[in-house]
């Protein structure tokens, strides 16, 4: 029962974002929502989307900045009147690193991908902890991908960042469990978000899923959202990854 819970969703860029699908699903459950977005360029879109589900708590937050995170969590705690749920749906690697060889990743771009795509979960969890603990507990969900566990050609440094994210999720689950805060991840198959569509060869990845996944089809953002909502609400489930990939991860060939 999520009715009346207070949620922060980080990672909405547009209506195709996985984060937006999760927000819509939470709204349908009677959850009150707040949003963070990156950069002025996204403000109008995110504000309009939020307004469409009756939310006006929309604050900028570049997850690379501790000052941004401090200010955003302050504004959100005030605006919502507390925090129960956190949806982390943020990732970035330099476009040039999602092609060619992983070995060519520079030191700077390696840390950029890990900073935005992995450390940000810990940075947000740290700020969410006191707010959630004050309400008797909470639940955090992040978005990961199989490329953090196995080699997916061209996922490259994002794979290393997702491996870091997955391990961070488990350590956070251990740290926050005593405060009755659960931390889990959804591992989604390829979804045609704007970010994904800009990746060369994305179409052939969805073809491969259709051929090889047990269910012989691709997934969409609303499938991911349904499992995210389940994890946000699932008593005694923490430190785990739920795969929403039509079973693709189970195959060895
Ligand atoms: P998206 O582009 O809609 O979402 C990514 C979000 O990250 C954007 O809202 C962007 O603004 C945000 N972001 C990037 N850098 C940031 C920064 N410095 N500070 C704050 N926010 C920043 O794409 P998406 O596909 O919805 O991705 C959401 C999550 O889902 C990511 O973690 C991604 O790795 C994961 N995921 C996506 C797929 C897929 O195929 N689309 C599959 C599995 C997992
Ligand atoms: O996590 C992702 C992609 C996240 C992402 C997307 C971009 C595109 C724009 C991170 N950084 C950037 N940087 C940009 O400049 N996915 C799980 C989707 C995805 O991306 C791939 C994949 C899959 C699947 C890249 C190569 C191979 C497979």
């Amino acid at each position: 029962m999520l009715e009346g819970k207070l949620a922060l969703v980080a990672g909405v860029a547009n209506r195709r974002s996985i984060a937006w699908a999760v927000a819509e699903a939470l709204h349908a459950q009677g959850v009150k929502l707040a949003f963070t977005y990156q950069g002025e360029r996204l403000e109008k879109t995110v504000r309009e989307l939020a307004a469409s589900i009756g939310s006006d708590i929309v604050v900028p937050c570049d997850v690379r900045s501790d000052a941004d995170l401090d200010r955003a969590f302050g504004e959100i705690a005030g605006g919502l009147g507390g925090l129960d749920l956190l949806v982390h749906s943020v990732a970035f690697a330099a476009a040039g690193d999602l092609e060619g060889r992983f070995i060519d990743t520079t030191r700077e771009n390696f840390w950029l991908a890990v900073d935005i795509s992995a450390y940000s979960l810990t940075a947000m969890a740290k700020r969410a902890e006191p707010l959630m603990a004050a309400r008797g507990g909470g639940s955090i969900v992040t978005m990961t991908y199989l490329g953090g566990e196995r080699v997916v050609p061209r996922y490259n440094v994002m794979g290393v960042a997702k491996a870091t994210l997955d391990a961070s999720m488990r350590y956070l689950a251990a740290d926050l469990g005593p405060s009755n805060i659960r931390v889990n991840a959804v591992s989604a198959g390829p979804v045609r978000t704007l970010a994904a569509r800009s990746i060369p060869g994305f179409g052939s990845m969805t073809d491969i899923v259709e051929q090889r996944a047990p269910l012989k089809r691709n997934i969409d953002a609303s499938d991911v959202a349904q499992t995210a909502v389940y994890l946000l609400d699932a008593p005694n489930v923490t430190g785990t990854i739920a795969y929403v990939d039509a079973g693709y991860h189970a195959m060895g060939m």
Side-chain angles (χ1 to χ4, degrees), residues 132-153:
M132 290 178 173
R135 290 173 60 87
S139 185
I140 299 174
V141 70
T142 187
M143 299 300 156
T144 190
Y145 178 60
L146 188 65
E149 303 174 64
R150 287 200 276 281
V151 173
V152 172

Side-chain angles (χ1 to χ4, degrees), residues 91-95 98 145 152-155 158 162 190 195-196 198-199 202 205:
F92 186 80
L98 299 175
Y145 178 60
V152 172
R154 290 171 294 142
Y155 199 59
M158 268 308 305
K162 289 302 191 192
S198 73
I199 290 150
F202 197 78
M205 278 183 265

Side-chain angles (χ1 to χ4, degrees), residues 12-87:
V12 176
N14 53 57
R15 67 185 174 82
R16 289 183 196 275
S17 294
I18 289 171
W20 178 246
V22 179
E24 283 186 302
L26 287 173
H27 172 66
Q29 299 285 316
V31 172
K32 189 177 173 195
L33 290 143
F35 297 87
T36 58
Y37 64 91
Q38 182 208 14
E40 269 171 45
R41 155 186 75 80
L42 294 178
E43 179 173 6
K44 186 166 174 280
T45 311
V46 180
R47 233 174 241 296
E48 283 171 6
L49 286 170
S52 76
I53 57 168
S55 168
D56 62 356
I57 309 166
V58 178
V59 303
C61 179
D62 186 321
V63 298
R64 286 170 294 188
S65 158
D66 285 329
D68 260 34
L69 285 159
D70 287 338
R71 187 192 32 72
F73 270 80
E75 287 179 28
I76 278 146
L80 282 175
L83 189 67
D84 302 303
L85 312 172
L86 171 63
V87 178

